[in-house]
Amino acid sequence: MTFIGPLHFGQRQRSLESLHRDVGDEPFMADEIVVVVPSKHEWVGQQVEVQQLCKAPFILREKGSGTRRVVEAALKAAGIQMKHTRIIMELDSTEAIKSAVEAGLGVGFVSRRAIQKEVKLDSLREAHITGLGIQRTFAIIYPRGPEPRGAAGVFLRFLREKRDRGK
C-alpha cells in the first residue's frame, strides 16, 4: 500500500467501511493475476486443467504479500491446497518473478498488466488455466470528511479522473 499524505493506494481486500467508520475507500482499478510461463512452454496455446498446476514448480511472491494472499485464495477456491503444490521460489517483486519464469525455472503468478512488454517481446506468455480466475481491485483509501487539500487533494482528483476516463 502506498501512503500519500492522508491517501493510501493499495489492494482492496474488503470494504473498509466495516473496519472503521472514519475511513473511506473507492475502487480505482480492477486487475487480474495470470499464470505466466516461458514463451516456449508446453502450456502455451493449450487449455490447462487447474489440477495440472499441482505438478508445476511455482514461483510466488513472498508470504504476506497481497498478491500471494489473492493467489492462495483463488487456488483454494479452485480446489488446490497449497500443501499439494511445489513452491520452488518465493521472491519479493514482480520483476524477479518474471525473470525467473523467463529463465525457465517455473511458472509464476503476476498481473496481466505487468507482462505486456514481455508478451510483445515473446519472452513470456499467459497460460490459460480452466477454472482459475484471479481478480483483485485496487482502491483509493482516505479519511472521511472534507476533501484532502494540497498534493493529496490534487492526487485524489487525478486518480478519480483517470479511473473515470477508463470506464
Side-chain angles (χ1 to χ4, degrees), residues 1-143:
M1 185 175 296
T2 303
F3 177 69
I4 302 155
L7 299 177
H8 295 272
F9 181 72
Q11 193 170 309
R12 184 181 196 182
Q13 299 293 323
R14 60 181 178 256
S15 174
L16 294 175
E17 191 172 323
S18 64
L19 297 176
H20 199 287
R21 294 181 200 269
D22 296 332
V23 177
D25 69 329
E26 297 176 24
F28 173 68
M29 173 181 74
D31 189 25
E32 185 172 7
I33 304 295
V34 296
V35 176
V36 292
V37 295
S39 61
K40 305 294 185 212
H41 193 274
E42 64 185 273
W43 290 354
V44 172
Q46 305 294 317
Q47 270 307 129
V48 178
E49 293 298 321
V50 72
Q51 290 304 320
Q52 285 183 263
L53 288 172
C54 293
K55 299 175 186 171
F58 279 7
I59 301 168
L60 298 176
R61 286 297 304 260
E62 74 282 7
K63 289 181 181 176
S65 80
T67 301
R68 172 79 173 253
R69 284 192 300 270
V70 170
V71 167
E72 287 180 350
L75 290 172
K76 183 178 179 182
I80 294 178
Q81 296 179 27
M82 293 307 293
K83 67 182 178 184
H84 295 134
T85 62
R86 289 182 36 216
I87 300 169
I88 61 160
M89 261 186 232
E90 295 177 337
L91 301 170
D92 65 358
S93 75
T94 298
E95 291 302 315
I97 291 172
K98 293 189 308 184
S99 294
V101 172
E102 284 175 321
L105 301 176
V107 303
F109 295 82
V110 298
S111 168
R112 177 177 282 141
R113 296 172 187 272
I115 60 167
Q116 292 175 350
K117 178 182 80 173
E118 290 79 7
V119 168
K120 284 181 184 174
L121 295 172
D122 198 31
S123 63
L124 288 177
R125 299 285 294 274
E126 179 182 336
H128 299 284
I129 311 297
T130 303
L132 183 68
I134 308 175
Q135 301 288 325
R136 64 182 175 177
T137 302
F138 287 95
I140 307 163
I141 304 163
Y142 52 87

